[in-house]
Amino acid sequence: MTDPLRAPWLGPMRHALEEAVRAPETGDVPVGALVLGPDGSVLGRGRNEREATGDPTAHAEVLAIREAAAQLGEWRLTDCTLVVTLEPCTMCAGAIVLARLDRVVYGAVDEKAGAVGSLWDVVRDRRLNHRPEVIHGVLADECAALLTHFFRDR
């Protein structure tokens, strides 16, 4: 039986996985992300591109957030949702808070660098002015398997 909290996010997470699958083509870690508008439309897409661009900030989440902000013509992504295959790091968690995203949905936990509940919990820190809702574990096994295969093959 599918968890009712996670069920609405299965489709968007599959689309984020499609982005992630493309990242290894350039030697990048397979992480994919989408920013969804209030109506569920895709405003931004991203996949890791650090190796492809030589940009240390080219994480899937940051690229999806940048594209969504450009699409809206607004840096505040109020009422929007970030869907990402791997738990965001501290940089991406900071970008999520600063962009005022309402919700973060992620797949696999990142026990080494996760900043949305595992190693740190930046997005729910009460000292910050914005705290998005967090839904985790959506297609977690599929998201984790993609990463496991990538690093095993390296």
Side-chain angles (χ1 to χ4, degrees):
M1 182 172 178
T2 304
D3 180 345
L5 184 65
R6 291 177 181 86
W9 305 110
L10 296 175
M13 187 61 76
R14 284 188 181 97
H15 291 295
L17 276 164
E18 290 171 10
E19 286 295 320
V21 167
R22 296 174 55 204
E25 295 169 6
T26 57
D28 283 286
V29 176
V31 178
L34 305 174
V35 173
L36 305 176
D39 63 355
S41 63
V42 177
L43 299 175
R45 297 177 190 276
R47 65 181 170 274
N48 278 359
E49 294 184 7
R50 291 186 309 168
E51 298 297 331
T53 63
D55 178 355
T57 68
H59 287 205
E61 301 94 322
V62 170
L63 298 176
I65 289 168
R66 286 177 185 162
E67 186 175 298
Q71 174 100 0
L72 292 174
E74 169 71 49
W75 65 266
R76 289 178 193 86
L77 300 180
T78 308
D79 298 324
C80 294
T81 299
L82 175 74
V83 178
V84 60
T85 58
L86 180 64
E87 179 183 1
C89 69
T90 53
M91 176 183 69
C92 294
I96 289 162
V97 171
L98 292 172
R100 309 295 195 272
L101 284 152
D102 278 11
R103 185 176 303 101
V104 179
V105 178
Y106 71 87
V109 169
D110 186 348
E111 295 175 2
K112 294 181 180 177
V116 183
S118 62
L119 191 57
W120 296 286
D121 201 353
V122 172
V123 300
R124 291 181 279 208
D125 189 319
R126 293 190 180 280
R127 296 169 292 183
L128 298 176
N129 64 335
H130 179 74
R131 290 179 296 282
E133 174 187 8
V134 175
I135 299 168
H136 61 87
V138 178
L139 298 178
D141 292 341
E142 292 90 332
C143 295
L146 190 58
L147 292 158
T148 299
H149 292 289
F150 174 80
F151 286 111
R152 188 179 312 149
D153 290 346
R154 290 183 75 106

